[in-house]
Amino acid sequence: MFDLVLRGGRVLDGTGSRDVPADVAIQDGKIAAVGQLGAAQAREALDVSGLTIAPGFVDVHTHSDALPFAADPLPAKILQGVTTEITGNCGSTPFPLEPKTAHLLREHHAGLFADMAWDWTRLSGYLERLEAVGPVSNVAALVGHGALRVAAMGFDRRSPTDDELRTMQRLVAESLEDGAVGLSSGLIYAPGLYSQTPELVALAEVLRGSGRPYASHIRGETATLFDAVDEAIGIGEAAGVPVQVSHLKAAGQANWGRAGELLARLESGRARGVEVTGDVYPYDAGSTRMSALLPPWCHEGGKGALLERLGDSALRARIAGEFETGLPGWENLAGAAGWDRVRIASVEENQSYLGRSVQEIAHEMGVEPLEAFCSVLQEEHGAPTVVLTMMDEADIRTILAHPLVMIGSDAIITRGRPHPRTWGTYPRVLGHYARDVGLFSQPEAVRKMASFPAEKFGLSGRGLVVEGHAADLVVFDAATVNDRATYEDPEQPPIGMPHVLVNGVVAVRDGVFTGARAGQILRG
Ligand code: CU
Ligand code: ZN
């Protein structure tokens, strides 16, 4: 007697092979049988005739670190079939915490990681808390370089002392012991951007032999794109660890048409023996914290110091000048996009800013864009996020289609006018890019969204529809599945994706989140 049988569907197993007609039986949270199961007895049966059964999607690039702690978790991810979230990307994790600097990390993450107790010190404590509340999707956590740096040396703009570096190495080792599935960095963000390459090599070396990757939001995706990707691959090469280049893109008009060159860097890294891969989200805009658009020196000392600087008119003038001229080594995102292409995605106070560009807000205020930018940031206590349009469609397609590239949403869990990737990434790849544009087959899309990422991050027993694997499953209609989230109206669930199961529990039924919190903690 099985717990549940999905009857009458076609199974797309996740290896990239084409779909075949088969039933799927589930017992104790695992896939117990796949095939023609006839009249096999089950406590419950789900008729999925005409639909495709695929492995649940493993989102390799998320910022869902705080999502499970919400009383009413936003179903944006589970409704698009994400059954496993790899958290802690871009160097940002809510651990480890050291008593002296914990408040700095907490202030830094206000607005993104709300609803958390912050009462742990290391990964094990954070994961215990997660386990207690019960995540909707499975969670595997990276440890973030930014958080390591805050723990060891706050928001100091310098290289670490030998002692501080040893502290960070110890914290990486502890995180691995606790089950971290890799190390992430965000080298355009404070405090990660204050690091030099040798520091990152020294930290990545702690991963050597574990098979765990170094995943990086590289030091630049606009003017310094090629040096930055070389640095990331070089870190993996020097440390002897696999590399994941996060959210691959050729951003800024000067880079348009250069995605092929970017991917060639990955290929040549592999030719030298580095196990390098990348991920991408299927959109022409990025999204990040609004404060991340400021020059590096603004962040020294942390959020409090940053907000104070914004109130100083002489410093505002200095910032305005630097937006014009740039600074060596600074990823000037607003300069690359243009103020008319930087839109406010989330706020705490003034809802009327949502969806509007800094240019428009400046026009209304009757001031220069930089003045408007600083005012909004200050009014909103440094917490807003923004959406920046800066990629070319042809490059997005080149990257999506490359065999070394898997899918990751980079979804930021905020309300308001978030980037549509938060709600639409996976159905958009399956429907728009695979079926409608024909970039690749749906079986290949599922491979890029399930088994390939599970393999990269060492999640054994996930990512395929085979006997013995966890019953993380997505049921979709191959002919109609698609995203509905748009830049104008992003908080829209997909169509054609009626059921999602996490560890054998129905988390989405007929397109509605059931409230199930059946996710497990996947410790490395
Ligand atoms: Cu990210
Ligand atoms: Zn990032």
Side-chain angles (χ1 to χ4, degrees):
M1 180 93 134
F2 296 118
D3 293 334
L4 175 65
V5 176
L6 310 188
R7 279 192 211 283
R10 299 185 66 85
V11 168
L12 218 167
D13 68 5
T15 60
S17 326
R18 54 161 311 171
D19 54 317
V20 295
D23 307 319
V24 176
I26 294 156
Q27 180 73 48
D28 298 327
K30 295 228 157 61
I31 297 169
V34 181
Q36 298 304 326
L37 300 177
Q41 297 275 304
R43 261 177 278 281
E44 195 195 340
L46 208 55
D47 177 10
V48 296
S49 42
L51 301 173
T52 303
I53 306 167
F57 305 134
V58 176
D59 189 347
V60 294
H61 195 104
T62 87
H63 295 287
S64 300
D65 310 59
L67 175 63
F69 295 111
D72 213 356
L74 195 70
K77 305 301 293 295
I78 194 70
L79 288 173
Q80 52 173 311
V82 172
T83 55
T84 297
E85 306 228 52
I86 296 184
T87 59
N89 277 283
C90 297
S92 293
T93 46
F95 66 87
L97 298 176
E98 290 287 326
K100 267 208 310 220
T101 53
H103 67 285
L104 290 174
L105 192 68
R106 191 173 174 167
E107 284 162 20
H108 178 65
H109 286 315
L112 282 193
F113 297 168
D115 298 321
M116 287 200 287
W118 294 91
D119 60 354
W120 46 77
T121 53
R122 50 192 276 183
L123 174 57
S124 56
Y126 164 73
L127 291 180
E128 274 162 31
R129 282 283 186 188
L130 269 189
E131 217 152 30
V133 295
V136 172
S137 304
N138 305 307
V139 175
L142 301 164
V143 57
H145 166 244
L148 295 167
R149 233 181 186 266
V150 174
M153 53 190 294
F155 279 78
D156 284 8
R157 187 157 62 105
R158 59 177 174 81
S159 285
T161 63
D162 290 350
D163 259 5
E164 288 163 343
L165 187 60
R166 272 194 295 275
T167 298
M168 286 193 269
Q169 287 179 309
R170 172 177 57 78
L171 295 171
V172 174
E174 284 181 6
S175 301
L176 283 176
E177 257 170 55
D178 291 352
V181 296
L183 166 69
S184 80
S185 70
L187 302 183
I188 71 157
Y189 301 121
L193 54 74
Y194 301 140
S195 66
Q196 309 284 323
T197 309
E199 169 184 333
L200 294 153
V201 172
L203 298 178
E205 274 172 349
V206 181
L207 305 171
R208 188 188 292 156
S210 69
R212 304 289 164 191
Y214 165 67
S216 185
H217 178 154
I218 60 178
R219 214 176 277 277
E221 298 174 325
T222 61
T224 60
L225 173 65
F226 294 97
D227 288 342
V229 74
D230 287 346
E231 181 193 23
I233 298 169
I235 288 166
E237 191 167 16
V241 303
V243 174
Q244 176 81 354
V245 182
S246 298
H247 42 60
L248 284 160
K249 57 175 78 77
Q253 276 203 42
N255 281 331
W256 289 3
R258 302 188 72 184
E261 281 172 69
L262 174 64
L263 294 161
R265 305 290 175 117
L266 270 61
E267 288 166 13
S268 70
R270 287 189 84 88
R272 296 197 308 276
V274 187
E275 201 225 287
V276 54
T277 50
D279 54 75
V280 67
Y281 49 80
Y283 293 94
D284 64 357
S287 181
T288 192
R289 290 187 168 88
M290 192 175 190
S291 61
L293 274 50
L294 288 164
W297 57 268
C298 295
H299 303 277
E300 188 171 3
K303 174 81 74 65
L306 170 90
L307 291 176
E308 239 167 74
R309 288 182 188 112
L310 286 181
D312 182 325
S313 59
L315 290 181
R316 277 196 189 193
R318 175 178 165 191
I319 295 168
E322 289 170 351
F323 268 104
E324 293 305 316
T325 60
L327 278 176
W330 169 41
E331 174 85 322
N332 182 357
L333 288 172
W339 288 118
D340 55 331
R341 292 196 179 85
V342 178
R343 293 184 179 276
I344 312 297
S346 66
V347 292
E348 288 181 341
E349 315 270 343
N350 193 338
Q351 302 293 319
S352 74
Y353 291 143
L354 286 177
R356 291 164 68 213
S357 74
V358 172
Q359 183 90 54
E360 287 162 9
I361 295 169
H363 189 79
E364 198 156 296
M365 288 177 168
V367 297
E368 289 299 308
L370 189 273
E371 277 298 316
F373 170 84
C374 290
S375 301
V376 171
L377 195 52
Q378 208 176 19
E379 267 175 51
E380 296 285 336
H381 321 292
T385 55
V386 290
V387 170
L388 308 100
T389 310
M390 49 187 184
M391 281 83 85
D392 182 54
E393 180 65 22
D395 286 322
I396 297 164
R397 293 181 183 195
T398 303
I399 295 169
L400 276 167
H402 196 276
L404 292 177
V405 179
M406 60 193 82
I407 309 301
S409 71
D410 201 5
I412 300 173
I413 306 297
T414 51
R415 304 303 306 267
R417 197 76 74 96
H419 191 299
R421 68 195 185 191
T422 300
W423 291 80
T425 295
Y426 289 84
R428 182 170 176 78
V429 172
L430 268 179
H432 177 66
Y433 280 114
R435 184 194 57 233
D436 299 343
V437 175
L439 271 191
F440 35 70
S441 67
Q442 283 183 338
E444 173 62 5
V446 170
R447 189 190 70 83
K448 281 174 174 287
M449 305 194 294
S451 64
F452 186 17
E455 203 179 299
K456 178 74 186 195
F457 288 86
L459 310 179
S460 57
R462 310 266 164 187
L464 293 172
V465 184
V466 294
E467 218 181 289
H469 263 229
D472 294 340
L473 300 168
V474 181
V475 178
F476 65 89
D477 182 337
T480 64
V481 65
N482 227 332
D483 63 309
R484 291 195 303 137
T486 60
Y487 289 106
E488 294 72 31
D489 192 6
E491 296 187 316
Q492 294 296 324
I495 50 164
M497 197 176 272
H499 314 303
V500 183
L501 280 72
V502 179
N503 297 304
V505 177
V506 182
V508 175
R509 189 188 293 270
D510 299 319
V512 179
F513 174 47
T514 63
R517 288 171 172 252
Q520 295 174 359
I521 308 301
L522 310 182
R523 292 180 175 84

